[in-house]
Amino acid sequence: MEPCAATLMTEFLRQSGGAAVIDGGLATELERHGADLNDPLWSAKCLLTSPHLIRAVHLDYLEAGADIIITASYQATIQGFEARGFSREESEALLKKSVEVALEARDIYYERCLKSSSSGIGDDKILKHRPILVAASVGSYGAYLADGSEYSGIYGDAITIKVLKDFHRRRVQVLAESGPDLIAFETVPNKLEAQAYAELLEEENISIPAWFSFNSKDGINVVSGDSILECASIAESCKKVVAVGINCTPPRFIHGLISSVSKATTKPILIYPNSGESYDPHKKEWVKNTGISDDDFVSYVNKWVEVGASLVGGCCRTTPETIRAIYRTLSNNRLLQP
């Protein structure tokens, strides 16, 4: 890792007591706040129609104890916006907006902390001034396709590393220039896309530190069938990457995946699983009663930290309640002040 990039994450984790909390699912919470996400742009649609709802969800997670909030740009691509009739300039402005909204939420949260006369927790809200990072989300090429292929990682022979780099290049530049603390390459489904990201970060000399987070459906490989060891090794060898791990994967697989990732990297390991529910990409909906409760989810947290995870949160279908429970578990077990 580059010295300044490595220092950022090392110091952040030290100030967080050795383990930090990532936020939880965005789309489900936006819907709970009244957003209509029946759209190929998914949660990125709210950048167009209701950025105030995105800010409200970011605040919910900060008040639940999240130390890192992830922007609403997972499905936000220049190509996707242009397909909806927006100009290049308008598309880039929407990407920038995703970071601005998260930065605004952090500022509002800090103001609330200053106004709070409590010891840090009140009305179930955690109001504690602490280091908070904004991570700009970059979803995979498969997420842009909106056909569920980020859950298969199978893009076809026509999609080369050059095609992927060209697809992501301007988007990554715009997000990096928008003022986030990190760039979160999320739900990376195959080795090819990880390599494309690593090369892109170097070629464009992106100054913002990044994390790579892969997804798995069998607890052994990433969803494409590529080796998790090989994927993690790509992240390990990229100087711009400050953490590597797993997201959008059932909780039952995480313990083994942490062990696998730790064999390939010396960098901090992050994990933010989904609720364990199954997603039907054809119906574009979650299958009811296939997930686990917050209590069950949180029961895993201690084990994940014991085997090497230092950043823990939730992905699809997890909520501020999940994140609050993770925060309390980590606080209790690491003797952090609540």
Side-chain angles (χ1 to χ4, degrees), residues 252-328:
R252 66 183 182 278
F253 293 142
I254 296 297
H255 187 288
L257 288 165
I258 294 170
S259 300
S260 297
V261 170
S262 66
K263 292 172 185 169
T265 187
T266 56
K267 297 176 181 180
I269 294 174
L270 58 97
I271 53 109
Y272 50 115
N274 58 34
S275 65
E277 289 172 79
S278 302
Y279 183 73
D280 185 329
H282 302 294
K283 293 182 178 178
K284 290 188 167 34
E285 63 185 32
W286 293 89
V287 182
K288 291 183 179 178
N289 303 319
T290 54
I292 61 172
S293 68
D294 282 348
D295 287 344
D296 288 340
F297 188 104
V298 170
S299 72
Y300 287 110
V301 169
N302 294 333
K303 296 167 191 167
W304 293 336
V305 173
E306 282 170 17
V307 294
S310 49
L311 300 116
V312 181
C315 198
C316 299
R317 309 292 280 182
T318 60
T319 69
E321 291 307 311
T322 319
I323 300 312
R324 184 176 287 105
I326 292 172
Y327 171 85
R328 293 187 189 281

Side-chain angles (χ1 to χ4, degrees), residues 196-219:
Y197 290 147
E199 292 182 16
L200 194 56
L201 289 170
E202 296 291 348
E203 287 172 13
E204 300 302 324
N205 196 24
I206 299 297
S207 60
I208 306 298
W211 81 43
F212 284 10
S213 186
F214 300 91
N215 60 332
S216 173
K217 56 189 175 189
D218 62 5

Side-chain angles (χ1 to χ4, degrees), residues 17-308:
V21 182
I22 302 171
D23 66 7
L26 180 63
T28 306
E29 287 303 295
L30 286 170
E31 288 177 326
R32 191 176 64 81
H33 278 273
D36 175 11
L37 303 184
N38 185 20
D39 191 283
L41 294 175
W42 200 34
S43 51
K45 180 187 176 187
C46 286
L47 293 169
L48 298 166
T49 58
S50 41
H52 63 286
L53 295 184
I54 298 172
R55 188 168 57 238
V57 174
H58 287 324
L59 276 163
D60 287 346
Y61 279 118
L62 291 173
E63 292 180 344
D67 303 305
I68 300 176
I69 52 174
I70 301 174
T71 64
S73 49
Y74 176 80
Q75 205 116 358
T77 63
I78 292 169
Q79 297 88 337
F81 288 133
E82 287 182 335
R84 293 289 295 275
F86 292 92
S87 69
R88 173 60 60 101
E89 293 73 21
E90 289 169 331
S91 302
E92 292 185 3
L94 286 165
L95 280 174
K96 189 175 181 185
K97 180 95 176 167
S98 70
V99 177
E100 291 171 345
V101 168
L103 294 172
E104 288 168 9
R106 179 170 65 184
D107 289 343
I108 293 168
Y109 177 76
Y110 281 151
E111 288 172 13
R112 290 181 183 178
C113 290
L114 283 172
K115 291 175 182 174
S116 171
S117 58
S118 68
S119 60
I121 298 182
D123 302 323
D124 255 359
K125 292 181 180 178
I126 293 152
L127 295 169
K128 178 188 173 190
H129 200 286
R130 62 193 183 280
I132 291 166
L133 301 182
V134 169
S137 172
V138 175
S140 68
Y141 177 73
Y144 153 72
L145 296 176
D147 62 359
S149 59
E150 77 258 50
Y151 301 115
S152 72
I154 309 302
Y155 293 164
D157 294 340
I159 305 303
T160 62
I161 199 162
K162 181 183 185 303
V163 169
L164 290 172
K165 284 193 290 186
D166 289 345
F167 174 80
H168 289 294
R169 191 180 307 273
R170 184 60 189 147
R171 174 198 200 183
V172 170
Q173 289 172 331
V174 171
L175 288 171
E177 292 163 3
S178 301
D181 304 294
L182 293 162
I183 300 176
F185 293 95
E186 302 189 277
T187 325
V188 184
N190 56 43
K191 188 168 66 173
L192 186 73
E193 198 149 25
Q195 189 62 48
Y197 290 147
E199 292 182 16
L200 194 56
L201 289 170
E202 296 291 348
E203 287 172 13
E204 300 302 324
N205 196 24
I206 299 297
S207 60
I208 306 298
W211 81 43
F212 284 10
S213 186
F214 300 91
N215 60 332
S216 173
K217 56 189 175 189
D218 62 5
I220 301 166
N221 301 307
V222 298
V223 292
S224 64
D226 291 337
S227 158
I228 187 67
L229 277 170
E230 292 178 14
C231 290
S233 295
I234 292 169
E236 172 67 11
S237 62
C238 181
K239 294 175 182 177
K240 309 280 186 180
V241 173
V242 296
V244 57
I246 305 292
N247 76 294
C248 209
T249 295
R252 66 183 182 278
F253 293 142
I254 296 297
H255 187 288
L257 288 165
I258 294 170
S259 300
S260 297
V261 170
S262 66
K263 292 172 185 169
T265 187
T266 56
K267 297 176 181 180
I269 294 174
L270 58 97
I271 53 109
Y272 50 115
N274 58 34
S275 65
E277 289 172 79
S278 302
Y279 183 73
D280 185 329
H282 302 294
K283 293 182 178 178
K284 290 188 167 34
E285 63 185 32
W286 293 89
V287 182
K288 291 183 179 178
N289 303 319
T290 54
I292 61 172
S293 68
D294 282 348
D295 287 344
D296 288 340
F297 188 104
V298 170
S299 72
Y300 287 110
V301 169
N302 294 333
K303 296 167 191 167
W304 293 336
V305 173
E306 282 170 17
V307 294

